[in-house]
Amino acid sequence: MILEVTPSIRTQRLYVRPWHEGDMPSLHRIMSNQSVHTYTDEPPWTEEKARAVLDWCYANKMGWKWKGGFFNCPLLLAECDTLIGRVGLNPYGENDGIAEIEWTICEEHWRQGYATEIGKAILEYGFQEGGFASIVGFTSTRNMSARQVMKKIGMEHIGDREQNNRKLSFFQIKREP
């Protein structure tokens, strides 16, 4: 199913919208920062990588025509329309009823409660509008900030495991009946 509307993910301070061509410089600035990749084992993005991701989002209609509730969108500050990160619900495994939550916020906006705020809103969207039965999240076992955010938004730590030579902490929340 393809939804032709932008999702209703908005908080008092934040909102998401479809990607625009003008987002390229901000996306590259955020994702080329080494600090953003401290726990990802991914190198900072080049301009070509940022362009490829943005092109993929356009080609796959991520952010404006939402298939099955999955999305990848820019995260903006409501008061000034400044792009401060990217967020999404990604397919997880072969089960369309499970989504993986994602957020990346630029370093200058860390420790202001934005990840918790948008995380709660994404979960609400995922369960109410996306219809997911379960939403999972994972991070490096060393990333105490992301682990804390997942706990704050109501996700339960379901264990640690190794995946692709990385030690990851897995979290999950299920839709209430």
Side-chain angles (χ1 to χ4, degrees):
M1 176 171 95
I2 296 179
L3 304 175
E4 298 288 338
V5 298
T6 301
S8 56
I9 301 177
R10 180 176 284 276
T11 70
Q12 186 173 5
R13 301 185 300 165
L14 305 165
Y15 71 97
V16 301
R17 62 152 167 78
W19 288 104
H20 298 158
E21 183 61 33
D23 294 333
M24 177 60 195
S26 294
L27 177 63
H28 177 249
R29 179 182 56 80
I30 293 164
M31 299 307 292
S32 66
N33 181 327
Q34 176 62 51
S35 295
V36 169
H37 297 281
T38 300
Y39 300 108
T40 67
D41 293 334
E42 178 182 39
W45 288 12
T46 62
E47 193 170 323
E48 292 77 22
K49 167 79 176 190
R51 166 59 51 211
V53 169
L54 198 57
D55 288 348
W56 183 90
C57 288
Y58 285 138
N60 289 281
K61 310 285 190 250
M62 298 299 276
W64 63 91
K65 291 183 181 177
W66 298 35
K67 182 178 180 184
F70 299 114
F71 69 93
N72 183 295
C73 286
L75 176 64
L76 295 101
L77 290 174
E79 71 178 34
C80 57
D81 296 322
T82 300
L83 194 153
I84 64 164
R86 60 192 283 254
V87 296
L89 282 175
N90 304 308
Y92 184 77
E94 300 296 320
N95 185 337
D96 286 341
I98 301 175
E100 174 201 339
I101 192 170
E102 166 190 21
W103 66 83
T104 305
I105 297 174
C106 65
E107 185 176 16
E108 56 266 27
H109 293 283
W110 290 354
R111 295 176 193 83
Q112 296 178 44
Y114 294 137
T116 301
E117 186 175 327
I118 200 63
K120 287 178 181 177
I122 291 171
L123 291 179
E124 183 178 326
Y125 163 82
F127 290 132
Q128 291 181 2
E129 295 182 44
F132 297 108
S134 175
I135 298 175
V136 299
F138 57 89
T139 188
S140 166
T141 56
R142 300 176 293 121
N143 189 343
M144 301 312 282
S145 295
R147 291 169 54 111
Q148 189 62 31
V149 167
M150 285 190 257
K151 288 178 185 176
K152 283 182 183 179
I153 65 175
M155 299 182 83
E156 178 184 351
H157 182 240
I158 57 173
D160 296 339
R161 62 181 124 162
E162 196 159 316
Q163 183 172 317
N164 300 325
N165 296 320
R166 296 178 60 211
K167 290 184 179 184
L168 300 174
S169 289
F170 282 77
F171 290 78
Q172 180 178 39
I173 187 169
K174 294 180 179 181
R175 181 177 55 214
E176 294 181 11

